[in-house]
Amino acid sequence: MAVVGAGIAGMQAAVTAAMRGHTVKVWGSSAEVGGKTRLMAQLPLGESMSSIYDHQWITAQRLGVGFQLGRMATAGDVLAWQPDKVVLATGAQMTWPQDLPAELQNLGMVPDLRQAMAELLTHRGPLSGTAVIYDLDQTEGTYAAAEYLRDRFDRVVVLSPRETIAEEVVLVMRQRIHRRFAERGIEVKTWVDPVWTERFENEACLQYRSVFGGPLHDIHDVAFFAYASPRRPHDELHQGLLAAGLSVRLVGDCKIARDTLSATAEGHEAGMHV
């Protein structure tokens, strides 16, 4: 069996299939396994998540699972190995917000939150200024990132076009997020969208407006600005592998964005159906 993607969904599929006696090879674009869960494990209250991919990695090695890490797999790579089954666990990417000018995407001036956090985590120590997250995602990882930013920056502001935040998490977790934001002074501005103006480049001033219209408001001294948005699956290999006659199963965010428990459960199910 071939597994493309070394996040927790793909790793669980590989481990489960190997436990059942199958020969398995995993391709991963990163040098380490774990995918986005590795990023989450470095954020507040996420430390225990490292045990998921650590256990999967140790178990996979013990079972003789083969790995090719650090390079994006192509359909040719998979076909050359001649697998009887393929599991695609290639994750997903945040989509560009429609309220931000399209040309900014090509210039790379506003990264998605995952990209921005991965870069920030390589530079330790306190930072001055204000960190702003444009929250279209409403999932737990966005708010863990906000807490990490509060540890590093003078001020953190979360902008959301919705009535509230954390609508996509369970009630108990939503209450915890609101409580911790209040305790830590993380500001939340709802029913608003950012408005891109030259003042961001010239004055580090991000402006925003109510979704219902009205005057512009300012956030000054912005040193960090990123967006969190719904995700588009990385399923580009799917049709090519199907056309080659392979049996392909999608798991994790590559199928649809989902939480950690659902991703590992889906990976296990895929490994059981080899």
Side-chain angles (χ1 to χ4, degrees):
M1 183 178 81
V3 178
V4 184
I8 58 171
M11 287 294 292
Q12 190 59 51
V15 166
T16 302
M19 282 182 172
R20 300 181 63 240
H22 295 277
T23 300
V24 182
K25 183 173 181 177
V26 177
W27 281 264
S29 59
S30 297
E32 298 176 298
V33 303
K36 73 176 188 296
T37 306
R38 185 172 287 274
L39 174 61
M40 285 290 297
Q42 299 180 71
L43 302 180
L45 305 180
E47 296 86 352
S48 62
M49 298 185 76
S50 64
S51 62
I52 301 173
Y53 53 79
D54 284 344
H55 175 72
Q56 291 173 331
W57 172 246
I58 292 170
T59 304
Q61 289 184 306
R62 176 173 55 82
L63 293 169
V65 173
F67 285 91
Q68 185 169 330
L69 302 176
R71 185 175 68 84
M72 184 73 70
T74 66
D77 294 328
V78 178
L79 292 171
W81 200 62
Q82 298 182 326
D84 54 349
K85 305 280 186 180
V86 179
V87 171
L88 280 186
T90 41
Q93 181 176 355
M94 291 181 176
T95 56
W96 181 255
Q98 294 183 352
D99 291 300
L100 294 176
E103 57 267 23
L104 294 179
Q105 184 178 18
N106 298 327
L107 293 173
M109 292 184 62
V110 183
D112 71 49
L113 187 58
R114 286 185 190 168
Q115 294 173 319
M117 293 304 297
E119 173 65 22
L120 188 63
L121 285 163
T122 66
H123 304 286
R124 302 294 179 176
L127 297 165
S128 61
T130 300
V132 180
I133 298 175
Y134 181 32
D135 176 25
L136 299 165
D137 185 44
Q138 294 279 325
T139 58
E140 185 179 350
T142 299
Y143 310 116
E147 289 207 47
Y148 179 84
L149 292 171
R150 189 65 186 89
D151 292 334
R152 303 285 302 277
F153 288 89
D154 299 324
R155 180 188 179 198
V156 175
V157 181
V158 177
L159 305 178
S160 173
R162 296 196 190 184
E163 182 180 11
T164 186
I165 61 168
E167 291 183 320
E168 302 300 322
V169 301
V170 297
L171 178 61
V172 173
M173 182 61 67
R174 187 184 316 147
Q175 293 171 333
R176 182 192 71 82
I177 290 167
H178 281 281
R179 174 176 57 80
R180 288 181 63 86
F181 272 31
E183 291 172 348
R184 308 203 61 200
I186 298 173
E187 302 171 42
V188 177
K189 301 184 184 298
T190 56
W191 291 123
V192 300
D193 284 317
V195 178
W196 190 265
T197 68
E198 292 184 356
R199 292 188 64 190
F200 185 87
E201 298 179 57
N202 298 333
E203 306 173 34
C205 174
L206 179 67
Q207 298 189 288
Y208 65 92
R209 174 187 284 134
S210 167
V211 296
F212 305 112
L216 291 172
H217 302 276
D218 298 341
I219 302 175
H220 294 283
D221 196 22
V222 176
F224 176 103
F225 177 43
Y227 64 90
S229 62
R231 285 154 277 173
R232 177 184 63 80
H234 279 309
D235 58 359
E236 293 81 2
L237 295 181
H238 189 202
Q239 293 303 318
L241 294 175
L242 286 178
L246 291 176
S247 172
V248 184
R249 187 176 186 128
L250 280 64
V251 300
D253 284 1
C254 181
K255 182 177 182 181
I256 187 172
R258 59 197 59 227
D259 59 24
T260 301
L261 181 60
S262 298
T264 51
E266 195 165 77
H268 175 77
E269 182 180 1
M272 290 295 294
H273 284 81
V274 176

